[in-house]
Amino acid sequence: MTRVGIPHGLFYYYYYPWWKTFFNYLGAEVVCSNPTTRLTVDQGIGAAVDEICFPLKVYFGHVLELKRYELDWIFIPRMVSVEHRSYICPKFMGLPDMIRASIPDLPPIIDITVDVSQSNRILKRDLLQLGKLFTSRESRIREAIKRAREEQNFCDTLASQGYTREEAIQLWEGKATHSFQAPILNLGVLGHGYSLYDAVINMNLINHLRNMGCRLWFPESLDADDVETSAATIPKRVFWTLGRKMVGSAIHLSQQPEIDGIIYLACFGCGPDSLIGEIIERQINDKPYMLLTVDEHSGETGMITRLEAFCDMLLRRKNTGNEDNISAHGQYAYCRQSTI
Amino acid sequence: MDFYLGVDIGSVSSNFVLMDSQGKIHEKVYLRTEGNPVRAISTGYSILKKDMTQNQQIKGVGTTGSGRLLAAVMLGADVVKNEITAHAVAASNLYPEVRTIIEIGGQDSKMILLKHGIVNDFAMNTVCAAGTGSFLDQQAARLGVPIEQFGDRALDSSGPVRIAGRCGVFAESDMIHKQQMGYPLEDIIMGLCEALARNYLNNVGKGKKIEEPLVFQGGVAANLGIKKAFEKILGMQVMVPEHYDVMGAIGAAYLAGETIEHNRQATSFRGDDFVLQGKFSSISRECSGCANMCEVVCIRRDGEALAYWGDRCKKWENSLQPSSKKAAGDTMAI
């Protein structure tokens, strides 16, 4: 059986169900690298050019892991645009070339260009072309595309129920689930999916917040139309697909009274984030907001301090005005009037 | 008499205060951590202990700072809190009306905005530590001026020179250039103070509404040059509390008091013998259990493991619970 490797990074988080279904239906076996570990990170940093952002470096680590398996193909799509008049960061455009130049002796790379900024005609043509690597029957390829889209939609629906995209993919594959407890805080948590849903890149952000009793709202948890409507309220349209979703999500969340605060996770080396993080801060007015910047650090202390302080602040704000200052968290919320 | 012990273990300094139930500070100890928080904690405690009499007792312990977990394990803490909350609590007890806190420590700088005595917003430096205590320390050493006199020298300046404060590396090269051109040292030092105050306000205070009363605390508040620079740039009065250097520890002591009084519980403080008699050591080792290669830290007292942290899967952390002690075993041969 033909084996296609898919690195567990970047747009894996957004399109893995599509890709896997497509290749499986055409009779190929899909081999995905394991979730990011410290080893993936170390190897990725060692292999990657030093100017790119952290998630891209980690992706190199995933490719290196796949290199150890016996594969016929490695799937590294050239992501240019996934919707009309919007773009993905230009570094993604060069990704297959960067990989080829930095990592020798890889199996052949499938680097289909995904660019639907003008129309999806060329992508359709290229997909049919790609399918011919696996089957000569065009009808089968068309069916594979149809099924891939259906599975993707199903997984997106799962992701809309408060799961991270990584959890949604696990659920879609029939694996573990996560049960939510009654929250003491509702937080919007935003960031590029490939940073936000990778437990190593995000320095365990999601788990820390959930352990502190927070219910998290991701861009995927929101109605896509609400996000777009909110994103359209700023003077200039953001032409980065992910950036626009973040701005729209942030503005929408900032208008929901039940949301206590918003956290934005940015990568230090990310060009779009350096603007998007600022735009959000200016657009959301009164909602408490915290921008966290991550890079190759591995000490979580700084992250935990900020998260604790943010949650403490929100709890204390919430509890002032109440008769007692006892938070549901079990900790005594400080109040100035109390005498010691 | 009963005291609350507040401990703030920072990257550069380790601070200890003994506070009575009226909020009066009876004793404070300011030590350099010198990269060895374990030693700093036992030294700090033994110094405090020396001045305590038989009938004086510790009724509660609070820890904060980046070494708060370590201190909590070694002393037995009733409350373990992040630095931001601790600093805010300390300042708002001293100045109930305070609206803005500028806190600059060894590695971190923070701005905390309060409304009605509770934290309303805060910011912390991100990846850049320019302008924090360790950078000032380093510059003072380079210029051969003891750090304690650094601020006073700045005040002697008649016309500060302009130094690039955007980045520690730029600031240093700019200072060297100005120095080589013959500008007096005082003017360069004051220029640096202004550059760092500007950098702080641009990076940490970015876009925040700074309102009076304003309190400046943390180790760097000892530097009168920086205080003056803030006053000049903001056009506001900057208050520096008497115990500006141990405010985190004071906050931790207040929080300990609250916890104890509210829960009406006995303290988890481990007692003198535990802290002073045992030999504490910390060992770290890369766990080889999986590809995550977590750097696991083990805190030991006389060879017995007290705590583990740093492991993602919590295998080591949970191994200390009596039921599972055998399961993981103390096989981490460290």
Side-chain angles (χ1 to χ4, degrees):
Chain A
M1 197 191 250
T2 317
R3 282 158 59 94
V4 178
I6 297 183
H8 195 125
L10 301 179
F11 277 79
Y12 155 91
Y13 292 100
Y14 290 102
Y15 296 117
Y16 182 67
W18 204 110
W19 299 338
K20 189 181 179 193
T21 311
F22 179 77
F23 289 119
N24 278 349
Y25 192 75
L26 296 177
E29 183 192 343
V30 168
V31 180
C32 185
S33 57
N34 287 304
T36 310
T37 62
R38 218 44 233 169
L39 189 70
T40 326
V41 173
D42 289 350
Q43 291 186 339
I45 291 171
V49 289
D50 61 355
E51 303 248 318
I52 52 178
C53 66
F54 189 45
L56 279 165
K57 290 182 183 176
V58 173
Y59 190 83
F60 276 65
H62 285 289
V63 175
L64 283 168
E65 182 189 333
L66 289 175
K67 190 182 162 184
R68 297 199 296 270
Y69 309 145
E70 280 180 24
L71 298 172
D72 300 290
W73 302 96
I74 288 193
F75 181 65
I76 304 177
R78 193 183 298 278
M79 305 299 288
V80 179
S81 160
V82 295
E83 55 180 0
H84 190 53
R85 286 181 62 231
S86 290
Y87 298 87
I88 304 299
C89 165
K91 280 171 184 153
F92 286 76
M93 205 186 285
L95 185 62
D97 306 311
M98 281 192 270
I99 301 268
R100 265 195 204 99
S102 310
I103 307 178
D105 308 321
L106 281 177
I109 293 175
I110 299 175
D111 63 347
I112 182 171
T113 300
V114 178
D115 179 3
V116 297
S117 57
Q118 306 303 322
S119 83
N120 56 8
R121 197 171 46 85
I122 295 171
L123 179 64
K124 270 189 180 155
R125 185 198 69 194
D126 289 352
L127 278 173
L128 291 175
Q129 197 77 34
L130 168 59
K132 294 211 171 96
L133 292 172
F134 304 93
T135 176
S136 53
R137 287 164 54 202
E138 197 174 302
S139 62
R140 192 152 181 90
I141 305 171
R142 289 187 190 281
E143 181 64 18
I145 297 174
K146 187 170 154 264
R147 292 194 178 206
R149 198 180 293 136
E150 284 166 8
E151 292 298 328
Q152 182 66 45
N153 287 341
F154 175 53
C155 187
D156 289 350
T157 316
L158 292 173
S160 69
Q161 294 160 15
Y163 296 104
T164 70
R165 279 208 168 263
E166 177 72 352
E167 287 162 349
I169 291 172
Q170 300 302 323
L171 280 173
W172 173 75
E173 301 215 85
K175 290 179 199 155
T177 58
H178 185 281
S179 59
F180 301 114
Q181 291 160 346
I184 53 161
L185 286 173
N186 282 290
L187 294 184
V189 181
L190 310 174
H192 288 173
Y194 44 81
S195 313
L196 188 57
Y197 305 137
D198 184 315
V200 172
I201 296 178
N202 73 21
M203 303 183 83
N204 243 340
L205 170 82
I206 308 278
N207 288 333
H208 286 315
L209 285 174
R210 282 187 179 152
N211 291 339
M212 291 177 197
C214 302
R215 175 169 180 198
L216 308 182
W217 299 77
F218 305 107
E220 289 79 16
S221 323
L222 310 175
D223 181 71
D225 291 334
D226 288 344
V227 171
E228 289 299 329
T229 313
S230 300
T233 57
I234 65 167
K236 184 180 186 303
R237 181 175 174 275
V238 181
F239 54 78
W240 292 299
T241 292
L242 297 178
R244 201 183 62 252
K245 283 194 201 310
M246 299 313 141
V247 171
S249 304
I251 296 176
H252 180 70
L253 285 166
S254 73
Q255 292 157 351
Q256 310 306 312
E258 71 272 19
I259 298 293
D260 298 298
I262 298 174
I263 294 177
Y264 188 88
L265 182 83
C267 273
F268 180 56
C270 177
D273 269 351
S274 63
L275 287 166
I276 298 298
E278 288 294 315
I279 293 174
I280 290 177
E281 187 157 11
R282 289 167 197 206
Q283 293 295 329
I284 60 173
N285 299 325
D286 284 340
K287 201 62 97 177
Y289 172 73
M290 181 165 67
L291 177 71
L292 291 170
T293 310
V294 293
D295 199 43
E296 295 167 17
H297 324 63
S298 64
E300 289 179 6
T301 320
M303 166 76 84
I304 294 171
T305 298
R306 286 164 175 81
L307 295 179
E308 275 183 18
F310 193 67
C311 290
D312 266 4
M313 172 181 84
L314 297 181
L315 280 173
R316 283 172 181 241
R317 276 180 155 208
K318 237 182 162 166
N319 290 333
T320 43
N322 291 3
E323 280 185 1
D324 59 354
N325 285 303
I326 303 157
S327 74
H329 199 30
Q331 286 173 323
Y332 181 40
Y334 173 73
C335 129
R336 185 165 55 87
Q337 287 78 14
S338 74
T339 46
I340 296 177
Chain B
M1 188 159 203
D2 294 333
F3 291 116
Y4 293 110
L5 171 63
V7 181
D8 177 2
I9 307 299
S11 56
V12 174
S13 73
S14 294
N15 316 320
F16 304 79
V17 296
L18 277 183
M19 192 177 81
D20 67 18
S21 26
Q22 265 70 51
K24 188 161 171 279
I25 309 300
H26 280 255
E27 193 75 51
K28 71 168 182 176
V29 175
Y30 179 95
L31 283 178
R32 293 243 159 190
T33 310
E34 286 170 334
N36 191 342
V38 173
R39 195 180 54 204
I41 294 166
S42 30
T43 317
Y45 182 73
S46 60
I47 297 174
L48 274 188
K49 187 65 207 166
K50 240 184 254 162
D51 298 321
M52 280 172 76
T53 56
Q54 273 298 317
N55 53 7
Q56 292 178 324
Q57 279 201 348
I58 288 178
K59 212 166 111 189
V61 180
T63 65
T64 185
S66 44
R68 59 186 179 275
L69 282 178
L70 185 64
V73 167
M74 285 177 61
L75 299 168
D78 301 300
V79 62
V80 185
K81 266 283 175 234
N82 62 79
E83 303 90 292
I84 290 168
T85 310
H87 277 283
V89 165
S92 63
N93 268 289
L94 279 173
Y95 306 95
E97 300 301 316
V98 60
R99 296 297 303 273
T100 310
I101 301 170
I102 293 177
E103 198 274 334
I104 307 184
Q107 286 282 330
D108 283 331
S109 47
K110 317 169 186 75
M111 176 175 283
I112 309 171
L113 306 180
L114 299 99
K115 245 183 209 168
H116 315 298
I118 60 162
V119 180
N120 193 47
D121 195 5
F122 69 88
M124 220 165 152
N125 59 332
T126 51
V127 281
C128 174
T132 54
S134 36
F135 178 68
L136 280 170
D137 256 357
Q138 186 198 336
Q139 291 312 313
R142 195 180 63 78
L143 295 170
V145 179
I147 187 70
E148 295 78 15
Q149 295 167 20
F150 207 67
D152 300 323
R153 287 295 290 271
L155 293 185
D156 293 338
S157 158
S158 48
V161 297
R162 180 121 188 144
I163 303 280
R166 178 77 190 81
C167 157
V169 179
F170 295 169
E172 176 161 348
S173 59
D174 216 13
M175 279 168 73
I176 293 174
H177 292 156
K178 294 273 153 81
Q179 198 182 309
Q180 303 305 77
M181 283 166 71
Y183 289 97
L185 195 55
E186 290 77 16
D187 292 350
I188 294 176
I189 295 178
M190 190 59 212
L192 178 69
C193 292
E194 287 189 359
L196 297 183
R198 250 193 335 264
N199 182 41
Y200 171 88
L201 293 171
N202 291 339
N203 272 340
V204 182
K206 184 176 53 183
K208 303 226 177 290
K209 198 157 175 244
I210 299 169
E211 287 175 297
E212 286 181 290
L214 186 150
V215 175
F216 180 24
Q217 58 195 43
V220 173
N223 188 320
L224 296 173
I226 304 250
K227 175 179 182 266
K228 191 180 160 195
F230 275 125
E231 284 178 335
K232 183 174 159 190
I233 298 169
L234 292 169
M236 291 178 183
Q237 193 203 346
V238 173
M239 296 185 287
V240 175
E242 183 192 353
H243 301 297
Y244 62 88
D245 52 346
V246 295
M247 290 294 275
I250 293 176
Y254 272 120
L255 287 163
E258 267 178 18
T259 311
I260 294 290
E261 309 231 326
H262 183 261
N263 297 344
R264 295 202 178 79
Q265 64 185 30
T267 177
S268 328
F269 178 55
R270 305 255 204 175
D272 295 346
D273 290 351
F274 186 87
V275 183
L276 297 175
Q277 304 296 320
K279 190 181 173 316
F280 289 93
S281 57
S282 73
I283 305 135
S284 95
R285 173 65 70 90
E286 201 167 83
C287 173
S288 54
C290 74
N292 272 322
M293 305 185 296
C294 298
E295 289 155 11
V296 185
V297 178
C298 173
I299 307 301
R300 289 178 163 182
R301 182 180 177 274
D302 292 339
E304 190 199 341
L306 289 181
Y308 289 102
W309 54 75
D311 47 339
R312 238 160 215 276
C313 66
K314 306 289 171 212
K315 173 170 85 176
W316 297 104
E317 212 178 297
N318 293 339
S319 72
L320 287 174
Q321 285 161 10
S323 56
S324 57
K325 200 154 193 169
K326 276 281 159 292
D330 198 5
T331 50
M332 193 162 137
I334 47 179

